[in-house]
């Protein structure tokens, strides 16, 4: 009984300690995981800000030092408009000579937003209504206004070169004269080359795979529009358009070179570019290999930490339970026999009565002539006899029964779901067993140690513990008065 009680207490404490330890270790692991994820996000955001700063720097440089570029393009546009007034047949124009003289590419866009003539022959036939619907809409608005417009940094779709474009409609609104100036050969671009700065960011960071600056059409500055390697897939296009529409950062999980990667789209609005190119989107392709390595390391540490905590808590639980279980066990058990004691009687009996749907039998047991054993043979022999009686009680008891030592030579047997016949059978077996045991163990020169038993049944003789105990006690004394070594039911 003591062993079972200690095991129950130990297991309870271990389960409680494991729950507490697991909660603490899990919270610690989740905190470290969230911290690692936040550090990764901070790192990506730092690279994002550096890329933005590189783009912003070159736009600011063109804004401060490049005003004469827009003025030159406007003056050139006016000259070409005058040429158109004098000779509206573009077929007769020498666009190659004009480019060489003006140092600008010239594009003639008709009212269908198609390039009909150009010094850059690869673009002839390019229909903006099909390839670039956003730009086509802008061209319609600019044609209707009749004003001169110039944009900031953009790309030449065929080559990916960084260029600046201007637009001015003819007075009859039939055409738009577009001029293109290559910026990559200029001093400003060489000094503030944002493409080189972005490439250095990629080379410096093992987490960043690629960074692209996308115009409103989704084309990467510096890359040809027909470059399939950088062309947006439908998923990337969807994330890009969402960012362009809402101005909020969007992420898409996909693949880069057949490896998992995260595509991050960041909105960029220029404060220096006042044209249609003032909106751009940064596409940052990054991997989380370093994050996964950190998380795996944290996971391993978490498992090791949890195992150490579990081992320590189990050891501590066993030690504490061994210290605590003994006094707690003795509070409800008899130290000599190991049976339940008087403190457990009311609880066990009340539980048996309340839970039992049939009758409950209470056997009140008392040894006859036990005082003679202590007086003639000593207390050690008396203690040995009590242990033997306790063992007899255990043998007679069913699994659901509760044997109790009240104190001295008084014992109790609680029998839930027991009929009168069950109680009577147990009493007979107990008398026989104790009589045989005492005959073998005790020699009192003719005197015998016998047992008297009083039996009360619930609910027949009482429905509460006090009443049942009193009436079992009355039956016990009736048994003694009739000559001892017998049992008696309460009547």
């Amino acid at each position: 009984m003591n062993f079972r009680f200690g095991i129950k207490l130990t297991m309870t404490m271990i389960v409680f300690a494991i729950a507490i330890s697991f909660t603490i270790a899990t919270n610690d692991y989740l905190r470290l995981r969230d911290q690692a994820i936040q550090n990764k996000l901070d790192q990506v955001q730092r690279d994002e800000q550096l890329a933005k700063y590189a783009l912003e720097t070159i736009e600011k440089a063109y804004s401060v030092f490049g005003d004469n570029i827009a003025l030159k393009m406007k003056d050139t546009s006016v000259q070409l408009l005058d040429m158109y007034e004098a000779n509206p047949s573009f077929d007769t124009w020498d666009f190659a000579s004009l480019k060489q003289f003006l140092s600008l590419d010239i594009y003639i866009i008709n009212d269908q937003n198609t390039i009909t003539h150009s010094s850059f022959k690869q673009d002839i036939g390019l229909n903006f209504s099909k390839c670039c619907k956003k730009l086509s809409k802008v061209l319609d608005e600019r044609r209707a206004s009749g004003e001169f417009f110039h944009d900031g940094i953009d790309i030449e779709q065929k080559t990916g070169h960084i260029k600046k474009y201007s637009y001015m409609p003819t007075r009859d609104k039939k055409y738009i004269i577009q001029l293109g100036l290559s910026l990559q050969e200029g001093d400003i671009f060489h000094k503030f080359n944002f493409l080189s700065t972005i490439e250095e960011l990629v080379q410096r960071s093992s987490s960043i795979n690629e960074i692209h600056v996308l115009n409103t059409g989704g084309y990467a500055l510096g890359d040809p529009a027909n470059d399939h390697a950088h062309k947006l897939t439908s998923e990337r296009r969807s994330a890009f358009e969402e960012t362009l529409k809402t101005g909020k950062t969007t992420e898409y999980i996909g693949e880069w070179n057949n490896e998992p990667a995260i595509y991050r789209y960041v909105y960029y609005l220029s404060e220096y570019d006042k044209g249609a190119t003032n909106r751009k989107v940064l596409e940052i392709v990054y991997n989380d290999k370093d994050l996964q390595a950190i998380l795996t390391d944290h996971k391993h540490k978490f498992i090791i930490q949890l195992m150490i905590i579990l081992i320590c808590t189990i050891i501590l639980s066993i030690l504490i339970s061994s210290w605590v279980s003994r006094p707690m066990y003795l509070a409800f058990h008899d130290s000599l026999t190991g049976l339940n004691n008087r403190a457990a009687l009311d609880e066990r009996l009340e539980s048996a009565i309340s839970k039992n749907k049939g009758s409950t039998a209470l056997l009140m047991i008392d040894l006859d002539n036990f005082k003679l054993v202590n007086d003639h043979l000593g207390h050690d022999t008396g203690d040995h006899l009590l242990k033997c009686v306790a063992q007899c009680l255990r043998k007679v008891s069913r699994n659901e029964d509760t044997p109790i030592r009240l104190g001295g030579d008084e014992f109790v047997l609680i029998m839930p779901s027991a009929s009168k016949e069950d109680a009577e059978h147990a009493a007979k077996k107990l008398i026989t067993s104790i009589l045989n045991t005492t005959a073998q163990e005790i020699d009192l020169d003719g005197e015998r140690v016998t047992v008297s038993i009083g039996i009360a049944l619930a609910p027949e003789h009482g429905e509460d513990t006090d009443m049942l105990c009193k009436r079992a006690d009355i039956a016990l004394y009736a048994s003694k008065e009739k000559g001892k070594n017998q049992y008696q039911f309460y009547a």
Side-chain angles (χ1 to χ4, degrees):
M1 292 293 290
N2 191 359
F3 175 75
R4 286 192 296 172
F5 180 80
I7 288 294
K8 288 180 180 179
L9 180 60
T10 300
M11 292 306 298
T12 301
M13 294 189 66
I14 288 175
V15 170
F16 178 75
I18 288 175
I20 295 297
S21 303
F22 183 79
T23 300
I24 293 174
T26 301
N27 287 338
D28 187 49
Y29 167 73
L30 293 176
R31 178 181 58 80
L32 291 175
R33 185 198 66 179
D34 293 342
Q35 183 178 347
I37 293 174
Q38 185 60 49
N39 290 340
K40 177 66 178 180
L41 180 60
D42 290 342
Q43 176 188 349
V44 173
Q45 288 177 338
R46 283 194 297 270
D47 291 334
E48 169 191 313
Q49 291 300 321
L50 289 173
K52 275 187 173 183
Y53 180 73
L55 182 57
E56 186 180 70
T57 299
I58 193 170
E59 288 189 335
K60 184 177 181 180
Y62 279 119
S63 175
V64 174
F65 304 109
D67 287 344
N68 60 323
I69 297 176
L71 291 175
K72 177 185 175 182
M73 297 180 85
K74 184 176 182 180
D75 291 342
T76 302
S77 296
V78 172
Q79 293 177 28
L80 294 175
L81 287 180
D82 291 340
M83 285 182 59
Y84 173 73
E85 293 291 336
N87 179 14
S89 176
F90 292 115
D91 293 335
T92 61
W93 287 28
D94 187 351
F95 287 93
S97 298
L98 286 172
K99 176 181 179 179
Q100 186 175 6
F101 176 72
L102 300 173
S103 299
L104 294 167
D105 274 312
I106 305 165
Y107 309 83
I108 306 301
I109 305 172
N110 66 10
D111 56 0
Q112 302 299 315
N113 291 332
T114 300
I115 297 177
T116 57
H117 303 80
S118 176
S119 58
F120 186 72
K121 294 183 178 180
Q122 294 95 317
D123 273 353
I124 295 176
L126 178 64
N127 188 338
F128 293 110
S129 299
K130 295 181 179 179
C131 74
C132 316
K133 293 183 179 181
K134 295 174 186 175
L135 178 58
S136 179
K137 183 179 179 181
V138 172
L139 291 177
D140 289 338
E141 294 171 353
R142 289 178 174 178
R143 181 183 289 105
S145 70
E147 302 293 329
F148 171 80
F149 295 90
H150 68 96
D151 292 331
I153 297 173
D154 208 344
I155 63 165
E156 189 173 64
Q157 291 193 26
K158 295 292 184 180
T159 63
H161 291 170
I162 307 300
K163 300 186 79 170
K164 179 182 177 67
Y165 292 102
S166 69
Y167 305 85
M168 193 168 187
T170 58
R171 296 180 181 91
D172 58 11
K173 307 293 178 67
K174 290 183 179 181
Y175 299 95
I176 292 178
I177 297 178
Q178 177 186 12
L179 300 180
L181 173 66
S182 178
L183 300 177
Q184 292 189 211
E185 290 78 17
D187 293 336
I188 294 178
F189 189 87
H190 285 298
K191 188 172 183 61
F192 303 100
N193 188 344
F194 71 98
L195 295 178
S196 297
T197 303
I198 288 175
E199 184 61 29
E200 289 175 7
L201 285 176
V202 174
Q203 295 297 328
R204 190 171 66 224
S205 174
S206 60
S207 299
I208 303 297
N209 298 332
E210 283 183 321
I211 299 178
H212 301 128
V213 180
L214 307 179
N215 64 10
T216 55
Y219 300 116
L221 302 189
D223 296 319
N226 58 357
D227 185 353
H228 295 290
H230 299 105
K231 191 173 183 180
L232 296 182
T233 61
S234 58
E235 293 86 358
R236 291 167 61 192
R237 168 70 65 175
S238 177
F240 161 77
E241 293 292 351
E242 180 69 17
T243 297
L244 196 63
K245 178 181 177 182
T246 64
K248 296 179 180 179
T249 299
T250 307
E251 286 194 345
Y252 155 71
I253 299 177
E255 288 188 350
W256 183 84
N257 287 348
N258 297 322
E259 291 187 353
I262 302 164
Y263 289 79
R264 182 179 177 88
Y265 296 90
V266 183
Y267 186 73
Y268 174 83
L269 180 63
S270 175
E271 60 178 293
Y272 303 103
D273 183 356
K274 305 304 179 183
T277 55
N278 65 336
R279 294 190 307 153
K280 294 180 178 65
V281 173
L282 292 179
E283 181 187 55
I284 303 174
V285 187
Y286 69 97
N287 63 76
D288 59 354
K289 293 179 181 178
D290 53 345
L291 174 61
Q292 294 302 324
I294 292 173
L295 293 180
T296 301
D297 182 57
H298 285 340
K299 186 176 181 180
H300 291 160
K301 290 180 179 177
F302 163 72
I303 294 173
I304 294 172
Q305 179 187 18
L306 186 60
M307 293 303 297
I308 293 174
I309 291 175
L310 289 179
I311 292 171
C312 292
T313 53
I314 289 173
I315 293 173
L316 287 174
S317 298
I318 293 173
L319 291 175
I320 293 173
S321 65
S322 64
W323 297 335
V324 174
S325 62
R326 182 63 181 171
M328 290 185 66
Y329 176 83
L330 291 177
F332 295 95
H333 291 79
D334 177 53
S335 59
L336 178 64
T337 63
L339 299 179
N340 283 271
N341 60 16
R342 184 182 293 272
L345 174 62
D346 288 344
E347 179 186 348
R348 295 299 182 93
L349 183 55
E350 184 176 350
S351 175
I353 294 173
S354 62
K355 293 181 180 179
N356 184 25
K357 295 181 180 180
S359 63
T360 297
L362 176 64
L363 281 65
M364 195 73 72
I365 305 160
D366 186 74
L367 296 180
D368 305 320
N369 299 323
F370 180 72
K371 187 175 183 300
L372 294 176
V373 177
N374 283 336
D375 291 345
H376 293 279
L377 300 178
H379 288 282
D380 288 342
T381 303
D383 289 347
H384 176 68
L385 177 59
L386 292 173
K387 290 179 182 179
C388 291
V389 172
Q391 189 61 31
C392 291
L393 266 173
R394 290 192 182 97
K395 289 180 180 179
V396 170
S397 301
R398 304 170 302 173
N399 290 335
E400 63 270 27
D401 296 344
T402 303
I404 296 173
R405 183 192 176 197
L406 293 181
D409 59 351
E410 294 181 299
F411 295 85
V412 166
L413 180 62
I414 301 173
M415 301 180 66
S417 303
S419 63
K420 183 176 181 179
E421 290 75 16
D422 293 332
E424 188 172 14
H425 178 70
K428 288 178 180 180
K429 286 183 63 177
L430 190 57
I431 291 172
T432 302
S433 178
I434 293 176
L435 187 61
N436 292 336
T437 299
T438 56
Q440 295 172 3
E441 302 286 340
I442 306 299
D443 183 10
L444 289 174
D445 296 330
E447 292 288 343
R448 292 189 307 167
V449 176
T450 58
V451 61
S452 297
I453 301 174
I455 307 172
L457 302 173
E460 181 180 347
H461 301 144
E463 296 185 358
D464 60 80
T465 58
D466 289 341
M467 182 63 69
L468 206 60
C469 287
K470 288 177 181 178
R471 291 185 171 175
D473 199 44
I474 293 172
L476 172 63
Y477 280 100
S479 174
K480 284 181 176 292
E481 288 176 357
K482 287 187 177 183
K484 303 179 181 180
N485 199 33
Q486 60 180 292
Y487 63 90
Q488 183 70 40
F489 283 91
Y490 171 79

